[in-house]
Amino acid sequence: MLRNKQKSITLNATAFVGDQPVMNLSATVPSNTGVGQVSQYVQNAELYNTNKTEARRDVTEFQNDVYEVEDEMVRTEEVVE
């Protein structure tokens, strides 16, 4: 018997400065909570440190994408219930 079955949505992105990758971003939003967990990994610390404003803008954009997924999961759940 299957138990604790759940779906999740995964988002992945790479932040670039010019044509150079700076940071990997990943998030998973499980259906049982609808709350995303975001992680980030800086690939190029030197490029990140000299372009923090741009990199952080990308992180904010990614986080907003995660919020949209969370909100959509809540709306979908409300329709189902």
Side-chain angles (χ1 to χ4, degrees), residues 15 17 24-25 29 36 38-39 51 58 64 67 78 80:
V17 171
N24 289 331
L25 301 160
V29 184
V38 178
S39 62
N51 296 278
D58 288 344
N64 288 335
Y67 291 148
E78 289 171 353
V80 172

Side-chain angles (χ1 to χ4, degrees), residues 57-72:
R57 191 176 313 121
D58 288 344
V59 171
T60 299
E61 181 181 339
F62 184 78
Q63 182 64 63
N64 288 335
D65 292 341
V66 174
Y67 291 148
E68 286 179 26
V69 170
E70 291 175 345
D71 293 347
E72 182 60 32

